[in-house]
Each structure stands twice: as C-alpha cells, then as structure tokens.
Amino acid sequence: MCMEQVTKLRMTQLASGHTVKVLEGEELEHQERDFQGYTNGLIRLNPGRWILLADYTKFADSLFKFKFRESDAVVMTWAKCGTTWMQEIIWTMRNNPNLDHPLASLPLFARSPFLDFDMVMLSKNVPPIDDGNPLLKAFKVKCPGKDPKDGIMLQLAEAIPDPRTIKTHLPLSLLTPDLLDTAKVVYVARSPKDVVVSFHHHSRLIRAHGYTGSLDQFVQYFVDDNLLIGPYWLHMKEAWEKRDHPNMHFVFFEDVKTNTMLELHKLNKFLDTNLTEEQLQKVAHYTSFSEMKSREEKNFVSGSTVNKLVLSGEGGFFRKGVVGDGQKRLSPEQQAKVDQWTKKHTQDFGASFKYSS
C-alpha cells in the first residue's frame, strides 16, 4: 500500500462511527508474511479493534447502510462456525424444501450472497472473476448495467428476489442499527478450540488468506484477536446480548450437529416456514455434511480459489465438520492457552453460555 493510500485511509470516517487505523510496520509485516493473500493491506476499526482487509473501506458505508427487508434471514457468524452449512439449511428451508428448485444447482453465493465478501475478492492472490465464472454470470443477469467494481456481492444482495438469505461475518456493530428490528438474524456460535483448528485449515486452503505459518502461531493470532474479523469474543458477545430479541435466533453449532432435527424444528418456527416433518427430513439429508461435500466444487468453492497441495493432502472446504476436533488437534499447551483466554472473556456471559470455563 502506497503512502498516499495510507494517508487517505487514516482520514476515513466511516458511517458506522468507527475510525480507521492502518496496520503498519512490524505488525503489518508479520501479517503479510504469514497471510500471503492479504496483498492490499489491513486495518483496525475502533471501537472494537475489528481487523479487516483495507479494501473493506471501499464498501464499508454501503454495508452499514444496506437496506434489509422484513422477509430477510441473515446468517451471522465469526469465521468457520458453520456459516455455509446454516446458510444452505436456511436457503433450502425457505426456497427448496421439496428439493425441486431450478436454481438449487447454482453456486450458493449466487443464491445467497456473502454480503461482505467483496473485500476478499480484490486480493491479488485470487484469480480475477472472469466472464466464465458463474457468480459473474449471475451478477450480469440480476444486475444489468451495474459495475462489478462497486461490489458484486453487495449488488447481488440488493437485487435477488425475496425471500433473501444473506450471509455475513461482520458483527452487529458494523451493520445498520435497525437490522434486528427489520430482519431475522440467525447467529451461529462454535467452540473456540474447534474454530481455531478449522480456521487454520481454511486459511491454508483458501488462497485469499494464504496462511503459511504454523498452527502454534495461528493459535497465538487467535487469542491475540489478530485474525481477520476478530475479536472473536466481542463478535459473539454483541449477538449473545441480543439473544432474547424476537428477531434473533442464537444457536450453537454443537447443538445443530448433535440434534439436527430438533434444531431444524426450532428454525422452522423462528423463520415461519411451516414445513412438514417430511420436508424437514429432506432438508436435513440434503444439507448433511456428506451431501454438501459431494457438491463442494459445484456449489461452494471453485478449484481456482484453493491451494491444491492443501486440498489433496488435508481436505477441502468441507474437511470434517465435527464436534471436538480441537481437542484432538491442539496440544495441551495450546488448549490451556485457549481455555485461559475463554475464561477471561466469558466471565459475564452467564451460566447458560455453553463455552464459559
């Protein structure tokens, strides 16, 4: 990033009220060394110390002012908490409960936009989206005459018909204050030990991250709140504090995994989808790990966006999708570090919070 760009970012005042701090010096050097997909710089937003790609500022005000509708369902999570799984569950419940929707074979992002993904697509480590890309094809159909540079995902999200299912990794504080008074939000939380292991794999697999460091270094990034989007606990706390709002459905990944049908019944009630038991069974099967993995490259992640060596050696976007992998993969020292960090940040979450130590 050149000095002119740094100076411009320093002067940026976002519509959300956050100020921009540009990562520089040794901190930026460490990030760009270990995450080779972060080619255009990084920023922190205060208050909150949210860490984001510098390209976020190109879309920040549009994201904050995005007009949600009463018929929207917003899937909100920190990274690798079951976001894509819940996204497909909700889209299927609302649009394809009989598994006969003609658009079900489209990539998920074309059916259910990832609202804040435009900043990621600008990485020089990712092949540019060309005319053969199904996402760009969908954009041209849904957004005729619009410029992709203004945000493919943002504009797709504006253009797709109701009922919209929209995904975001942004916290509540970076989205419009009337979100919960307008749309339904499904927030998915996941055990931090499983998250750090899953995100470590994801960050090595996906070229837009391009992580090259060790697992131990990654755990340190995690507990220092220095991973993209972080801080992890603040993100979750903002949603947890709104868990009693009628438009907030706060769910734990572990519960969806271990008692899928019960959680689908709860979603059915929350979303007012009125599906039958037979339809819910179809949704459960269609969105099971094995079924989604079989559709991985067609519906979710294209081969050009992944590290082929990681893919062949360790698995793809849908690697395991299990509960408890963190306890198997993390050393006792790493687990102790995450436990201590968890205890520090969840003291005021209350006894009903699943991950409190």
Side-chain angles (χ1 to χ4, degrees), residues 197-206 310 314-317 319:
V197 167
S198 183
F199 197 23
H200 172 253
H201 169 74
H202 180 84
S203 296
R204 296 179 67 243
L205 175 72
I206 303 299
V310 175
E314 301 175 32
F317 188 79
R319 185 179 60 93

Side-chain angles (χ1 to χ4, degrees), residues 256-268:
V256 184
K257 191 70 180 177
T258 57
N259 205 335
T260 303
M261 288 307 300
L262 175 62
E263 296 302 325
L264 288 187
H265 277 286
K266 292 178 182 178
L267 279 170
N268 195 29

Side-chain angles (χ1 to χ4, degrees), residues 275-288:
L275 303 189
T276 66
E277 182 71 20
E278 181 183 4
Q279 288 173 318
L280 289 174
Q281 290 283 357
K282 287 181 179 179
V283 172
H285 174 72
Y286 184 73
T287 61
S288 65

Side-chain angles (χ1 to χ4, degrees), residues 105-329:
S105 61
L106 285 177
L108 179 60
F109 286 178
R111 296 178 276 121
S112 172
F114 182 175
L115 191 63
D116 35 298
F117 194 62
D118 289 305
M119 64 174 175
V120 178
M121 291 192 286
L122 295 179
S123 168
K124 296 181 179 67
N125 214 32
V126 177
I129 294 179
D130 56 28
D131 289 340
N133 189 292
L135 187 59
L136 187 57
K137 288 180 180 178
F139 173 83
K140 289 183 176 180
V141 171
K142 298 291 185 182
C143 309
K146 299 287 187 178
D147 189 346
K149 292 180 181 178
D150 294 329
I152 291 176
M153 287 294 176
L154 255 173
Q155 295 179 89
L156 263 178
E158 292 170 348
I160 61 173
D162 295 343
R164 300 186 302 184
T165 301
I166 297 171
K167 163 182 170 176
T168 183
H169 283 322
L170 295 178
L172 282 169
S173 55
L174 292 182
L175 295 168
T176 177
D178 66 1
L179 169 57
L180 278 175
D181 294 326
T182 305
K184 292 182 181 294
V185 175
V186 177
Y187 189 97
V188 188
R190 190 180 186 187
S191 163
K193 292 177 186 175
D194 287 353
V195 167
V196 72
V197 167
S198 183
F199 197 23
H200 172 253
H201 169 74
H202 180 84
S203 296
R204 296 179 67 243
L205 175 72
I206 303 299
R207 294 174 62 190
H209 295 285
Y211 183 69
T212 59
S214 68
L215 175 58
D216 196 58
Q217 289 172 307
F218 198 85
V219 170
Q220 193 63 50
Y221 272 113
F222 190 44
V223 299
D224 287 342
D225 295 326
N226 282 332
L227 291 177
L228 201 64
I229 298 297
Y232 174 80
W233 290 116
L234 180 57
H235 193 291
M236 199 177 296
K237 186 177 182 181
E238 287 188 358
W240 181 248
E241 289 177 342
K242 299 291 185 181
R243 65 191 182 280
D244 294 326
H245 192 289
N247 275 347
M248 170 65 81
H249 184 67
F250 193 104
V251 63
F252 294 100
F253 175 94
E254 294 79 11
D255 292 339
V256 184
K257 191 70 180 177
T258 57
N259 205 335
T260 303
M261 288 307 300
L262 175 62
E263 296 302 325
L264 288 187
H265 277 286
K266 292 178 182 178
L267 279 170
N268 195 29
K269 182 178 180 179
F270 176 71
L271 297 170
D272 298 319
T273 40
N274 299 312
L275 303 189
T276 66
E277 182 71 20
E278 181 183 4
Q279 288 173 318
L280 289 174
Q281 290 283 357
K282 287 181 179 179
V283 172
H285 174 72
Y286 184 73
T287 61
S288 65
F289 182 83
S290 59
E291 288 294 308
M292 289 183 67
K293 186 174 179 62
S294 72
R295 305 192 299 272
E296 179 169 337
E297 186 161 351
K298 181 180 179 183
N299 281 174
F300 303 106
V301 179
S302 67
S304 63
T305 64
V306 302
N307 182 318
K308 299 294 179 62
L309 290 176
V310 175
L311 177 67
S312 61
E314 301 175 32
F317 188 79
F318 298 104
R319 185 179 60 93
K320 286 190 176 181
V322 299
V323 174
D325 193 41
Q327 292 187 338
K328 297 177 182 177
R329 294 285 306 280

